[in-house]
Amino acid sequence: MTADLREKVALVAGATRGAGRGIAVELGAAGATVYVTGRTTRTQQSEYGRPETIEETAELVTAAGGKGIAVQVDHLVATEVEALVARIRAETGRLDILVNDIWGGENLFEWDKPVWEHSLDNGLRMLRLGIETHLITAHYALPLMIERPGGLLVEVTDGTAEYNTTHYRLSPFYDLVKTGVTRMAWTHAQDLGKHGATAISITPGWLRSEMMLDAHGVSEANWRDATKVQPHFAISETPRFVGRAVAAIAADADRARWNGQSLSSGGVAKIYGFDDIDGSRPDCWRYLVEVQEPGKPADVTGYR
């Protein structure tokens, strides 16, 4: 499968690292012009204090075959988002794909804490970063997107609607953010469908993001070493896998069939027939239910 997105313009909001970077690079590999946004640049860091930058992401997009354009934006600041969309309009006159992958809550959520034990400040900050940013960005960007039929809005979350309906996700704050983004995509679909546009939510599986690799003390080159401590990490995937899922849907002339649906990287891979960059095809959300949660030994047979 080779997606063709030449002449298309995309905005990946929250593309500094992780899934956002993977999606941006795969859109670039399909030939798109990709505006990549985030708070961390080579001269200014966000509270994460990490080395990844939006300039680096833009360079990866260009190296993959597209055109990467880095723009520093705090998506909680409405005037900055408004200016970003005005710039895209002035420079390209169009927006075909909007990916909302804005997050920033890895250092804010507390595992298995009821609302009265979880830090209130951190929880409310998480809601702002994970939901308010998406709404602000949609408010300013979608009017440009619907000027041409066929636009695609992608809301990136954690967990499919089916999985999250029956599973408590860490804390009330985290749970609300991740289920709220899925519902947000469904609600946008009701409005966008009237304009010939499509909205979906999508989740990666167990993501080998830069932060996750660091947490396990490994790199992408030797990530399998982490399975010695956490055997189920064998089902993990690179950020490029969900990127290929987004590119495949964006290049599908019949993408409107997905309007309002909750999708996963592994599920989309089965439909469009693509693999992760290492040739595997993990299906994390199926694996969690059928292998990990029942307490079975790690076994990716039939899942990759």
Side-chain angles (χ1 to χ4, degrees):
M1 182 217 74
T2 302
D4 186 354
L5 297 173
R6 289 171 292 181
E7 309 302 324
K8 301 297 184 181
V9 176
L11 164 59
V12 181
T16 311
R17 60 185 68 84
R21 173 173 284 188
I23 292 169
V25 172
E26 286 297 331
L27 292 175
T33 293
V34 188
Y35 287 81
V36 297
T37 68
R39 295 172 296 171
T40 299
T41 69
R42 286 180 173 139
T43 59
Q44 185 177 358
Q45 287 190 329
S46 71
E47 67 265 29
Y48 273 119
R50 289 194 55 86
E52 302 87 15
T53 69
I54 55 172
E55 294 96 338
E56 186 179 57
T57 300
E59 290 165 359
L60 291 169
V61 170
T62 301
K67 180 180 180 181
I69 302 171
V71 186
Q72 185 183 33
V73 176
D74 182 339
H75 285 263
L76 274 176
V77 181
T79 53
E80 291 188 19
V81 179
E82 184 178 26
L84 165 68
V85 176
R87 174 177 170 177
I88 295 172
R89 179 185 291 278
E91 293 179 352
T92 71
R94 63 189 297 162
L95 180 62
D96 303 286
I97 304 159
L98 169 61
V99 179
N100 270 335
D101 186 47
I102 316 146
W103 173 220
E106 281 89 349
N107 297 324
L108 298 173
F109 62 78
E110 301 171 31
W111 290 74
D112 301 322
K113 290 284 187 71
V115 68
W116 59 89
E117 294 180 3
H118 196 291
S119 164
L120 182 60
D121 287 342
N122 286 353
L124 294 178
R125 173 72 173 170
M126 203 187 316
L127 289 173
R128 292 201 71 208
L129 288 168
I131 291 181
E132 189 174 327
T133 54
H134 289 229
L135 289 168
I136 290 170
T137 306
H139 174 81
Y140 288 106
L142 291 181
L144 176 57
M145 195 182 83
I146 63 174
E147 289 181 5
R148 296 170 181 263
L152 174 67
L153 166 64
V154 180
E155 292 284 349
V156 182
T157 188
D158 176 21
T160 62
E162 179 182 19
Y163 185 87
N164 287 345
T165 295
T166 57
H167 290 76
Y168 175 42
R169 303 307 310 278
L170 307 184
S171 76
F173 296 106
Y174 187 90
D175 193 292
L176 180 56
V177 170
K178 298 309 179 181
T179 58
V181 169
T182 301
R183 180 67 180 185
M184 195 186 308
W186 185 87
T187 59
H188 288 319
Q190 312 314 303
D191 297 322
L192 290 174
K194 301 170 187 176
H195 297 273
T198 300
I200 63 166
S201 63
I202 195 165
T203 177
W206 197 338
L207 196 68
R208 294 201 300 274
S209 65
E210 298 88 350
M211 295 181 74
M212 180 61 69
L213 291 171
D214 284 352
H216 284 289
V218 294
S219 67
E220 182 58 32
N222 70 332
W223 71 269
R224 291 185 184 279
D225 289 350
T227 63
K228 298 172 185 176
V229 177
Q230 171 48 272
H232 293 297
F233 196 56
I235 200 64
S236 65
E237 63 194 56
T238 76
R240 298 280 291 275
F241 194 46
V242 70
R244 290 180 175 183
V246 171
I249 294 170
D252 184 355
D254 191 29
R255 58 188 163 275
R257 61 183 160 143
W258 304 119
N259 197 34
Q261 294 196 35
S262 165
L263 305 171
S264 70
S265 50
V268 173
K270 288 182 173 63
I271 295 166
Y272 289 96
F274 60 85
D275 298 324
D276 204 344
I277 59 175
D278 61 0
S280 67
R281 193 179 293 181
D283 190 350
C284 174
W285 300 100
R286 175 186 159 206
Y287 180 92
L288 289 177
V289 173
E290 297 183 15
V291 179
Q292 184 170 345
E293 291 172 4
K296 296 179 182 179
D299 177 12
V300 298
T301 304
Y303 293 85
R304 300 182 73 83

